[in-house]
Amino acid sequence: MSTRVLPRNSETNRRPQDGNTPDRPSVGALFLIAAGIALAALNLRTAITSVGPLLGEVTGALGMTAVGAGVLTTLPVLSFALFGALTPSLSRRLGSHRLLVLALVALTLGLGGRALVGSPLPFLALSVLALSGGAIGNVILPVLVKRHFPHRVGLMTTVYTTALALGTTIAAATTVPLYDSTGQWRVALGSYALFGLIAVVPWLLVLRHGSTPGGSTRTFGFGRVLSTGVGLQSMLYFGTQSSVAYIMFGWYAQMLRDQGMSAQSAGLALSYLTLLGIPMSLVLPTLLTRVRDQRPFVLMFSLSYLVGLGGLWFSPMNGVWVWTTLIGVGMGSFVYALTSFALRTRTGEGTAALSATSQSLGYLMAGTGPFLFGLLHELSGGWHAPLLLLLALVLVNAVTGWLLGRPRHLEDALAARDGRRGSTARP
């Protein structure tokens, strides 16, 4: 007889409450689910990062106006907010596995279809279809990790966050070479639909073998989640870190170019900043799940951000690679934000609710970050005022992350709140 050794000091090891026991498929099914999680994660950002490198070519070929191009670049955060909010309700009706299959099918059809159309409106509509799949996958994957691997949350979070970072980097790095080799932006963008087709296969096999848990009747609405400290802090933490990340991805290269760096070197610095997400995804989840209190990690992220931003303020070109590295370490807060959905909940329903609330509202917050950063740059004519915005976001991120890092759970906070309400209502 074999015994299962569980990591020490992991809050995820506690027995789920309220009758919500984790699913226990066979070992073979678990390997299939693990592969499916990794392949699904690989697809979640391809619809976003594949367009940016060829934005001029795509908009020019489609005859898209500047307004249309602005809408196209805004669609990711809007779609992630809208479809992320709908995911828990859809999951209860369809089941998590079926919903993920539909999400991957939508992503594949959207990626493939928009490479075939010849006018702006269908391209935008099919982009929304592709982005809806990515948005739903964002919310569903932490739930599947919590449900199927309750004692291996750190390992499986490493798997899917690393795959997510790889997919993001692959789409950003290979789109232009594909375009250069074929001379066709349609081939360059449409090729990522193949990734989606491959990712659907293991989930179809999971459905075929009947590993499809039914949805729960319990609901955790946005209002209930945000009425707790855990829910509010998670949303603000996710929103502020996403806003900082979107600002850096959108403006970092231009900021360095204005300081005298060549376009090639500035692009290399941005690529390096993006690549740092891979080692952070490999290392952080396991470390985060081995401790009850994640506040030391939050402190590390915040200090790295502050020193990196300070370097950009006082001496941007002297030590630019050091500042870039420190900011990249700070952006490890994204990995913690994703991991915290499982760490701060006891049940799959709680994980889904916290993930959906934090991501949908957080992405809406993130969408305003690059706009405000650019506006401050235009109004001030320099980069110090925009950097002050980044500093403010980092400070809010630090405070909310410090509070979120304490060992607590959403379900416990809701139970305590309901208990207080019930005692107040008694005559």
Side-chain angles (χ1 to χ4, degrees), residues 152-174:
R152 295 292 182 266
V153 168
L155 173 62
M156 288 308 302
T157 303
T158 296
V159 169
Y160 90 79
T161 55
T162 302
L164 180 62
L166 279 172
T168 302
T169 303
I170 289 171
T174 62

PDB file of all heavy atoms in Angstrom, residues 152-174:
ATOM      1  N   ARG A 152      -1.740  19.372  -5.273  1.00  0.00           N
ATOM      2  CA  ARG A 152      -0.626  19.708  -6.169  1.00  0.00           C
ATOM      3  C   ARG A 152      -0.903  21.037  -6.870  1.00  0.00           C
ATOM      4  O   ARG A 152      -0.593  21.206  -8.039  1.00  0.00           O
ATOM      5  CB  ARG A 152      -0.426  18.596  -7.208  1.00  0.00           C
ATOM      6  CG  ARG A 152       0.014  17.257  -6.634  1.00  0.00           C
ATOM      7  CD  ARG A 152       1.429  17.336  -6.074  1.00  0.00           C
ATOM      8  NE  ARG A 152       1.872  16.028  -5.559  1.00  0.00           N
ATOM      9  CZ  ARG A 152       1.754  15.655  -4.298  1.00  0.00           C
ATOM     10  NH1 ARG A 152       1.186  16.484  -3.421  1.00  0.00           N
ATOM     11  NH2 ARG A 152       2.179  14.478  -3.907  1.00  0.00           N
ATOM     12  N   VAL A 153      -1.481  21.959  -6.129  1.00  0.00           N
ATOM     13  CA  VAL A 153      -1.838  23.255  -6.712  1.00  0.00           C
ATOM     14  C   VAL A 153      -0.599  23.985  -7.218  1.00  0.00           C
ATOM     15  O   VAL A 153      -0.599  24.564  -8.310  1.00  0.00           O
ATOM     16  CB  VAL A 153      -2.605  24.118  -5.685  1.00  0.00           C
ATOM     17  CG1 VAL A 153      -2.712  25.568  -6.165  1.00  0.00           C
ATOM     18  CG2 VAL A 153      -3.992  23.546  -5.451  1.00  0.00           C
ATOM     19  N   GLY A 154       0.468  23.959  -6.434  1.00  0.00           N
ATOM     20  CA  GLY A 154       1.686  24.654  -6.843  1.00  0.00           C
ATOM     21  C   GLY A 154       2.267  24.092  -8.130  1.00  0.00           C
ATOM     22  O   GLY A 154       2.611  24.844  -9.049  1.00  0.00           O
ATOM     23  N   LEU A 155       2.367  22.763  -8.206  1.00  0.00           N
ATOM     24  CA  LEU A 155       2.923  22.126  -9.400  1.00  0.00           C
ATOM     25  C   LEU A 155       2.086  22.426 -10.631  1.00  0.00           C
ATOM     26  O   LEU A 155       2.613  22.808 -11.684  1.00  0.00           O
ATOM     27  CB  LEU A 155       3.011  20.619  -9.180  1.00  0.00           C
ATOM     28  CG  LEU A 155       3.430  19.780 -10.397  1.00  0.00           C
ATOM     29  CD1 LEU A 155       4.825  20.162 -10.853  1.00  0.00           C
ATOM     30  CD2 LEU A 155       3.340  18.293 -10.068  1.00  0.00           C
ATOM     31  N   MET A 156       0.768  22.259 -10.527  1.00  0.00           N
ATOM     32  CA  MET A 156      -0.081  22.452 -11.694  1.00  0.00           C
ATOM     33  C   MET A 156      -0.225  23.930 -12.060  1.00  0.00           C
ATOM     34  O   MET A 156      -0.407  24.262 -13.233  1.00  0.00           O
ATOM     35  CB  MET A 156      -1.454  21.828 -11.450  1.00  0.00           C
ATOM     36  CG  MET A 156      -1.437  20.316 -11.465  1.00  0.00           C
ATOM     37  SD  MET A 156      -0.653  19.636 -12.967  1.00  0.00           S
ATOM     38  CE  MET A 156      -1.664  20.372 -14.244  1.00  0.00           C
ATOM     39  N   THR A 157      -0.137  24.811 -11.079  1.00  0.00           N
ATOM     40  CA  THR A 157      -0.125  26.237 -11.412  1.00  0.00           C
ATOM     41  C   THR A 157       1.149  26.588 -12.157  1.00  0.00           C
ATOM     42  O   THR A 157       1.140  27.413 -13.082  1.00  0.00           O
ATOM     43  CB  THR A 157      -0.265  27.094 -10.142  1.00  0.00           C
ATOM     44  OG1 THR A 157      -1.476  26.739  -9.455  1.00  0.00           O
ATOM     45  CG2 THR A 157      -0.318  28.575 -10.495  1.00  0.00           C
ATOM     46  N   THR A 158       2.257  25.954 -11.771  1.00  0.00           N
ATOM     47  CA  THR A 158       3.502  26.115 -12.528  1.00  0.00           C
ATOM     48  C   THR A 158       3.315  25.678 -13.978  1.00  0.00           C
ATOM     49  O   THR A 158       3.750  26.364 -14.909  1.00  0.00           O
ATOM     50  CB  THR A 158       4.631  25.288 -11.883  1.00  0.00           C
ATOM     51  OG1 THR A 158       4.904  25.796 -10.576  1.00  0.00           O
ATOM     52  CG2 THR A 158       5.898  25.356 -12.720  1.00  0.00           C
ATOM     53  N   VAL A 159       2.645  24.547 -14.162  1.00  0.00           N
ATOM     54  CA  VAL A 159       2.429  24.021 -15.510  1.00  0.00           C
ATOM     55  C   VAL A 159       1.653  25.015 -16.362  1.00  0.00           C
ATOM     56  O   VAL A 159       2.065  25.371 -17.477  1.00  0.00           O
ATOM     57  CB  VAL A 159       1.691  22.665 -15.458  1.00  0.00           C
ATOM     58  CG1 VAL A 159       1.217  22.250 -16.840  1.00  0.00           C
ATOM     59  CG2 VAL A 159       2.603  21.596 -14.871  1.00  0.00           C
ATOM     60  N   TYR A 160       0.521  25.510 -15.845  1.00  0.00           N
ATOM     61  CA  TYR A 160      -0.305  26.324 -16.731  1.00  0.00           C
ATOM     62  C   TYR A 160       0.181  27.766 -16.845  1.00  0.00           C
ATOM     63  O   TYR A 160       0.036  28.386 -17.902  1.00  0.00           O
ATOM     64  CB  TYR A 160      -1.793  26.220 -16.357  1.00  0.00           C
ATOM     65  CG  TYR A 160      -2.350  27.204 -15.360  1.00  0.00           C
ATOM     66  CD1 TYR A 160      -2.683  28.502 -15.738  1.00  0.00           C
ATOM     67  CD2 TYR A 160      -2.633  26.823 -14.054  1.00  0.00           C
ATOM     68  CE1 TYR A 160      -3.240  29.380 -14.841  1.00  0.00           C
ATOM     69  CE2 TYR A 160      -3.193  27.691 -13.151  1.00  0.00           C
ATOM     70  CZ  TYR A 160      -3.503  28.983 -13.547  1.00  0.00           C
ATOM     71  OH  TYR A 160      -4.057  29.858 -12.655  1.00  0.00           O
ATOM     72  N   THR A 161       0.810  28.320 -15.802  1.00  0.00           N
ATOM     73  CA  THR A 161       1.333  29.682 -15.955  1.00  0.00           C
ATOM     74  C   THR A 161       2.558  29.700 -16.866  1.00  0.00           C
ATOM     75  O   THR A 161       2.766  30.654 -17.621  1.00  0.00           O
ATOM     76  CB  THR A 161       1.690  30.300 -14.595  1.00  0.00           C
ATOM     77  OG1 THR A 161       2.607  29.450 -13.882  1.00  0.00           O
ATOM     78  CG2 THR A 161       0.449  30.513 -13.747  1.00  0.00           C
ATOM     79  N   THR A 162       3.371  28.638 -16.817  1.00  0.00           N
ATOM     80  CA  THR A 162       4.514  28.554 -17.726  1.00  0.00           C
ATOM     81  C   THR A 162       4.039  28.385 -19.165  1.00  0.00           C
ATOM     82  O   THR A 162       4.570  29.025 -20.088  1.00  0.00           O
ATOM     83  CB  THR A 162       5.432  27.383 -17.334  1.00  0.00           C
ATOM     84  OG1 THR A 162       5.867  27.555 -15.974  1.00  0.00           O
ATOM     85  CG2 THR A 162       6.656  27.329 -18.235  1.00  0.00           C
ATOM     86  N   ALA A 163       3.044  27.524 -19.368  1.00  0.00           N
ATOM     87  CA  ALA A 163       2.484  27.361 -20.714  1.00  0.00           C
ATOM     88  C   ALA A 163       1.863  28.662 -21.202  1.00  0.00           C
ATOM     89  O   ALA A 163       1.989  29.018 -22.385  1.00  0.00           O
ATOM     90  CB  ALA A 163       1.445  26.237 -20.713  1.00  0.00           C
ATOM     91  N   LEU A 164       1.218  29.388 -20.315  1.00  0.00           N
ATOM     92  CA  LEU A 164       0.642  30.684 -20.672  1.00  0.00           C
ATOM     93  C   LEU A 164       1.724  31.660 -21.120  1.00  0.00           C
ATOM     94  O   LEU A 164       1.589  32.344 -22.149  1.00  0.00           O
ATOM     95  CB  LEU A 164      -0.118  31.250 -19.469  1.00  0.00           C
ATOM     96  CG  LEU A 164      -0.795  32.601 -19.612  1.00  0.00           C
ATOM     97  CD1 LEU A 164      -1.867  32.558 -20.679  1.00  0.00           C
ATOM     98  CD2 LEU A 164      -1.394  33.030 -18.282  1.00  0.00           C
ATOM     99  N   ALA A 165       2.826  31.708 -20.364  1.00  0.00           N
ATOM    100  CA  ALA A 165       3.931  32.600 -20.724  1.00  0.00           C
ATOM    101  C   ALA A 165       4.576  32.173 -22.042  1.00  0.00           C
ATOM    102  O   ALA A 165       4.941  33.021 -22.871  1.00  0.00           O
ATOM    103  CB  ALA A 165       4.972  32.615 -19.605  1.00  0.00           C
ATOM    104  N   LEU A 166       4.714  30.863 -22.244  1.00  0.00           N
ATOM    105  CA  LEU A 166       5.293  30.360 -23.490  1.00  0.00           C
ATOM    106  C   LEU A 166       4.427  30.723 -24.691  1.00  0.00           C
ATOM    107  O   LEU A 166       4.924  31.168 -25.728  1.00  0.00           O
ATOM    108  CB  LEU A 166       5.470  28.847 -23.421  1.00  0.00           C
ATOM    109  CG  LEU A 166       6.702  28.327 -22.688  1.00  0.00           C
ATOM    110  CD1 LEU A 166       6.616  26.807 -22.538  1.00  0.00           C
ATOM    111  CD2 LEU A 166       7.978  28.711 -23.432  1.00  0.00           C
ATOM    112  N   GLY A 167       3.118  30.520 -24.556  1.00  0.00           N
ATOM    113  CA  GLY A 167       2.214  30.846 -25.644  1.00  0.00           C
ATOM    114  C   GLY A 167       2.243  32.329 -25.975  1.00  0.00           C
ATOM    115  O   GLY A 167       2.226  32.723 -27.154  1.00  0.00           O
ATOM    116  N   THR A 168       2.291  33.164 -24.935  1.00  0.00           N
ATOM    117  CA  THR A 168       2.372  34.612 -25.141  1.00  0.00           C
ATOM    118  C   THR A 168       3.636  34.980 -25.899  1.00  0.00           C
ATOM    119  O   THR A 168       3.611  35.776 -26.851  1.00  0.00           O
ATOM    120  CB  THR A 168       2.350  35.327 -23.780  1.00  0.00           C
ATOM    121  OG1 THR A 168       1.164  34.965 -23.074  1.00  0.00           O
ATOM    122  CG2 THR A 168       2.398  36.837 -23.957  1.00  0.00           C
ATOM    123  N   THR A 169       4.763  34.404 -25.482  1.00  0.00           N
ATOM    124  CA  THR A 169       6.054  34.724 -26.102  1.00  0.00           C
ATOM    125  C   THR A 169       6.139  34.179 -27.524  1.00  0.00           C
ATOM    126  O   THR A 169       6.631  34.864 -28.427  1.00  0.00           O
ATOM    127  CB  THR A 169       7.197  34.140 -25.253  1.00  0.00           C
ATOM    128  OG1 THR A 169       7.105  34.666 -23.923  1.00  0.00           O
ATOM    129  CG2 THR A 169       8.549  34.507 -25.833  1.00  0.00           C
ATOM    130  N   ILE A 170       5.644  32.961 -27.741  1.00  0.00           N
ATOM    131  CA  ILE A 170       5.704  32.366 -29.077  1.00  0.00           C
ATOM    132  C   ILE A 170       4.926  33.212 -30.077  1.00  0.00           C
ATOM    133  O   ILE A 170       5.408  33.513 -31.178  1.00  0.00           O
ATOM    134  CB  ILE A 170       5.162  30.923 -29.045  1.00  0.00           C
ATOM    135  CG1 ILE A 170       6.148  30.008 -28.320  1.00  0.00           C
ATOM    136  CG2 ILE A 170       4.905  30.409 -30.463  1.00  0.00           C
ATOM    137  CD1 ILE A 170       5.599  28.618 -28.050  1.00  0.00           C
ATOM    138  N   ALA A 171       3.717  33.616 -29.705  1.00  0.00           N
ATOM    139  CA  ALA A 171       2.897  34.403 -30.621  1.00  0.00           C
ATOM    140  C   ALA A 171       3.525  35.754 -30.917  1.00  0.00           C
ATOM    141  O   ALA A 171       3.474  36.249 -32.046  1.00  0.00           O
ATOM    142  CB  ALA A 171       1.493  34.586 -30.041  1.00  0.00           C
ATOM    143  N   ALA A 172       4.140  36.366 -29.892  1.00  0.00           N
ATOM    144  CA  ALA A 172       4.769  37.667 -30.101  1.00  0.00           C
ATOM    145  C   ALA A 172       6.039  37.554 -30.930  1.00  0.00           C
ATOM    146  O   ALA A 172       6.352  38.438 -31.736  1.00  0.00           O
ATOM    147  CB  ALA A 172       5.083  38.309 -28.748  1.00  0.00           C
ATOM    148  N   ALA A 173       6.779  36.451 -30.758  1.00  0.00           N
ATOM    149  CA  ALA A 173       8.101  36.338 -31.386  1.00  0.00           C
ATOM    150  C   ALA A 173       8.068  35.733 -32.779  1.00  0.00           C
ATOM    151  O   ALA A 173       8.952  36.009 -33.596  1.00  0.00           O
ATOM    152  CB  ALA A 173       9.025  35.509 -30.490  1.00  0.00           C
ATOM    153  N   THR A 174       7.073  34.900 -33.094  1.00  0.00           N
ATOM    154  CA  THR A 174       7.105  34.173 -34.366  1.00  0.00           C
ATOM    155  C   THR A 174       6.179  34.741 -35.430  1.00  0.00           C
ATOM    156  O   THR A 174       6.258  34.335 -36.597  1.00  0.00           O
ATOM    157  CB  THR A 174       6.736  32.687 -34.151  1.00  0.00           C
ATOM    158  OG1 THR A 174       5.396  32.602 -33.638  1.00  0.00           O
ATOM    159  CG2 THR A 174       7.696  32.034 -33.184  1.00  0.00           C
TER     160      THR A 174
END
